[in-house]
Amino acid sequence: MNAIMKLLKKKQEMKVCKFGGTSVGTVERMKHVATLIKDATPKIVVLSATAGTTNHLEEIAANLFNREIEQAHDRITRLEFQFIEFANGLLTDEKLKREAIDYILDRFQQLWKFTKDSFTSVEEKEVLAQGELISTALMHFYLRELKVPNVLLCAFDFMRIGPDNEPDLEYIEQKLREQLACHPGINLFITQGFICKNAYNETDNLKRGGSDYTASLIGTALQADEIQIWTDIDGMHNNDPREVSGTRPVKRLSFNEAEQLAFYGAKILHPFCIAPARLRNIPVRLLNSMEPSAEGTLISNLQDDNIIKAIAAKDHIIYIKFESNHNLCPYLFISKIFDIFAKYRTPLCLLVSSNLDVSVAIDDCTRLSNIISELRQYAHVLVEDRMTIVSVVGNMQWEYAGFEAKIMEALKDIPLRMISYGSSNNDVAFVIKNTDKKRALQALNDKLFQPEYAERN
């Protein structure tokens, strides 16, 4: 029985650590990550593809779809040389270097064959998977050079989504435990984020940012002591540092608060990765691989008394207003709206309603024309695009008076298309024009996080 399997039985410390593409994007950074994970603490390490690789592979896939074979050849060649150069810089042991380069060449054979055969969406997933497979293999070879015992697990052997594209957690747990049991005496495992198999045993993935999700699913399946998400940012910030000056890390968040921030645009965290961890009450810690001593952000089931924690913004929002034409009574009217959105599998980001009118905000317009076509017989429809949802997140119990007034005061000069409050105890959300986003975020930051207010909260 290996070290991790013993820990799972004894409930001792075991961690799942995810490192993003930027954290392993250069030879120096991959070596640095190796120093962070090579201690004796039993762990499973989930790696993304090295920075820029997935974008490059998406471009190759686009060329193959369009049968632009010459452009595909050029991009495949350049990426192949980049990885070989990476291996040459990373490894000094000639035997290991040869193994690594042979592995890279073997993976690229998978890409070259697509220049000759037909290309579908299934093959596209196979192309995208190569980045994670090669990046984790490089880390595995480097750890071997350091004489650090480790095993490279293939995510395809245990990570699966079902027919509804939801992770099959029971399958993941069973297969992952079987994989670990095959390697007695090992307490460090390396595996890929993002990639998986689907219900038809085809190569698939968990979409952009899916490595966070992979780590959360593994941690949940194994009931880990902690899930660590390592990026190049020192935890979840209280506002978007790309848009706003004077932001700071948030030390503690509840699961609900973190989930709201991730859903509403906080890029540091995949919006789906909190739910599995909450299922088995496993803390998630956000850490900075460039500053490993920084405290970061701890996400758990504990709720503190701080009312307002952070602000997030979600772009590419469509605002839709349905004004009833009175062909249906009010309760049937709102029911019809829900039914039509469900029929076309389009989730609502926000909803507000009165007796006769309903306003919604969505971020998926794929089937919007069908939705509007069906609902026009019941309502006059107004659609506005290029909108943004701004969400103020925290411990917003309705008994806490005054915070709503401060939020509204901060936004007194910003036109608000929609306001949502009361659906949860963790956020107040607004729909505004995208062109007003930066101004709104800065105004909220200045009003809500100024020192005298921060001290009170």
Side-chain angles (χ1 to χ4, degrees):
M1 183 180 297
N2 67 28
I4 288 183
M5 294 304 293
K6 289 179 181 178
L7 291 174
L8 294 176
K9 288 182 176 294
K10 295 180 180 180
K11 292 299 293 177
Q12 296 179 17
E13 183 179 15
M14 191 275 285
K15 296 177 180 177
V16 176
C17 305
K18 174 264 177 179
F19 292 86
T22 304
S23 296
V24 292
T26 67
V27 168
E28 291 73 22
R29 288 185 175 183
M30 185 170 284
K31 288 181 176 181
H32 175 62
V33 168
T35 66
L36 297 176
I37 64 175
K38 68 177 185 177
D39 61 50
T41 304
K43 61 178 70 69
I44 297 178
V45 176
V46 177
L47 296 183
S48 300
T50 54
T53 298
T54 301
N55 289 339
H56 201 129
L57 290 168
E58 285 178 340
E59 292 169 352
I60 291 170
N63 291 148
L64 293 171
F65 265 125
N66 298 324
R67 303 316 293 166
E68 298 165 346
I69 302 304
E70 186 175 340
Q71 293 94 320
H73 268 274
D74 178 62
R75 286 197 165 102
I76 293 171
T77 300
R78 282 192 284 121
L79 188 59
E80 187 172 24
F81 278 122
Q82 284 178 26
F83 272 118
I84 292 173
E85 184 179 358
F86 197 111
N88 280 321
L90 182 69
L91 303 165
T92 57
D93 183 288
E94 291 301 324
K95 182 181 177 182
L96 284 174
K97 187 183 294 187
R98 186 68 257 167
E99 282 188 59
I101 292 174
D102 285 344
Y103 181 86
I104 292 168
L105 294 174
D106 181 62
R107 299 319 312 172
F108 271 87
Q109 283 301 311
Q110 300 298 310
L111 298 183
W112 287 116
K113 75 177 183 180
F114 294 131
T115 63
K116 301 171 185 175
D117 301 332
S118 60
F119 194 76
T120 68
S121 59
V122 174
E123 281 75 35
E124 179 189 22
K125 303 288 179 59
E126 291 186 28
V127 168
L128 298 182
Q130 303 311 312
E132 271 71 20
L133 292 169
I134 294 172
S135 298
T136 49
L138 287 169
M139 175 63 79
H140 166 68
F141 285 119
Y142 181 62
L143 289 168
R144 283 175 57 191
E145 183 168 282
L146 296 179
K147 310 299 183 189
V148 177
N150 75 101
V151 167
L152 179 61
L153 297 178
C154 183
F156 291 143
D157 292 332
F158 61 86
M159 189 62 61
R160 186 174 77 173
I161 55 177
D164 56 358
N165 290 324
E166 292 294 323
D168 186 342
L169 192 57
E170 183 177 345
Y171 176 93
I172 293 168
E173 180 172 351
Q174 176 191 340
K175 294 299 182 181
L176 186 53
R177 288 175 180 271
E178 289 175 3
Q179 288 289 310
L180 297 180
C182 292
H183 304 284
I186 299 295
N187 64 4
L188 176 58
F189 292 84
I190 311 296
T191 194
Q192 305 82 29
F194 177 63
I195 64 175
C196 62
K197 290 287 187 177
N198 61 27
Y200 312 103
N201 203 37
E202 299 167 334
T203 297
D204 214 314
N205 60 60
L206 300 174
K207 314 308 178 204
R208 281 285 189 159
S211 293
D212 291 356
Y213 203 9
T214 301
S216 182
L217 291 166
I218 290 174
T220 301
L222 299 180
Q223 300 185 51
D225 177 70
E226 185 173 276
I227 299 164
Q228 296 182 348
I229 307 295
W230 292 78
T231 69
D232 58 346
I233 302 172
D234 51 344
M236 182 86 76
H237 275 232
N238 64 352
N239 210 326
D240 189 341
R242 300 164 301 180
E243 302 281 356
V244 172
S245 59
T247 68
R248 56 178 171 77
V250 180
K251 293 182 180 180
R252 291 177 299 279
L253 290 168
S254 70
F255 286 128
N256 288 344
E257 290 166 345
E259 194 167 49
Q260 292 288 89
L261 288 168
F263 177 77
Y264 286 121
K267 302 298 184 185
I268 191 174
L269 194 62
H270 191 286
F272 295 158
C273 80
I274 294 299
R278 183 201 288 115
L279 181 67
R280 291 184 176 167
N281 192 23
I282 299 170
V284 177
R285 194 180 297 272
L286 309 181
L287 295 164
N288 184 356
S289 60
M290 310 304 172
E291 294 183 38
S293 61
E295 184 176 354
T297 301
L298 178 63
I299 301 166
S300 70
N301 68 344
L302 299 178
Q303 179 72 273
D304 62 28
D305 293 331
N306 290 336
I307 296 177
I308 296 177
K309 301 286 188 60
I311 302 160
K314 187 179 184 70
D315 293 328
H316 309 297
I317 295 298
I318 312 293
Y319 167 84
I320 313 158
K321 183 176 183 180
F322 301 99
E323 297 180 355
S324 174
N325 60 14
H326 308 287
N327 286 340
L328 294 175
C329 62
Y331 65 86
L332 288 178
F333 175 62
I334 194 168
S335 174
K336 179 63 69 173
I337 290 174
F338 282 130
D339 288 344
I340 297 300
F341 274 92
K343 175 182 177 180
Y344 290 104
R345 296 177 176 270
T346 301
L348 306 178
C349 298
L350 293 178
L351 177 144
V352 296
S353 67
S354 65
N355 187 39
L356 294 174
D357 302 325
V358 175
S359 293
V360 302
I362 64 173
D363 61 357
D364 180 1
C365 62
T366 307
R367 302 173 185 86
L368 182 57
S369 60
N370 302 95
I371 293 169
I372 292 174
S373 177
E374 292 206 28
L375 287 174
R376 280 198 189 280
Q377 58 185 308
Y378 309 109
H380 305 292
V381 183
L382 171 68
V383 179
E384 296 181 14
D385 61 2
R386 286 175 282 189
M387 308 297 278
T388 293
I389 294 175
V390 174
S391 179
V392 181
V393 173
N395 182 15
M396 297 176 177
Q397 305 293 328
W398 71 272
E399 300 94 337
Y400 299 162
F403 68 88
E404 308 98 324
K406 280 189 172 289
I407 293 170
M408 298 306 298
E409 174 66 18
L411 296 173
K412 63 182 180 180
D413 297 323
I414 308 291
L416 306 179
R417 197 67 178 92
M418 182 175 172
I419 303 172
S420 175
Y421 169 55
S423 60
S424 82
N425 290 327
N426 294 113
D427 83 300
V428 180
F430 311 86
V431 175
I432 62 174
K433 292 181 179 179
N434 181 260
T435 51
D436 290 325
K437 179 179 77 168
K438 185 178 182 70
R439 192 158 57 102
L441 292 178
Q442 190 67 61
L444 287 165
N445 199 75
D446 294 343
K447 184 69 175 178
L448 302 181
F449 300 127
Q450 54 187 312
E452 59 268 26
Y453 186 66
E455 288 172 8
R456 181 174 148 255
N457 284 280

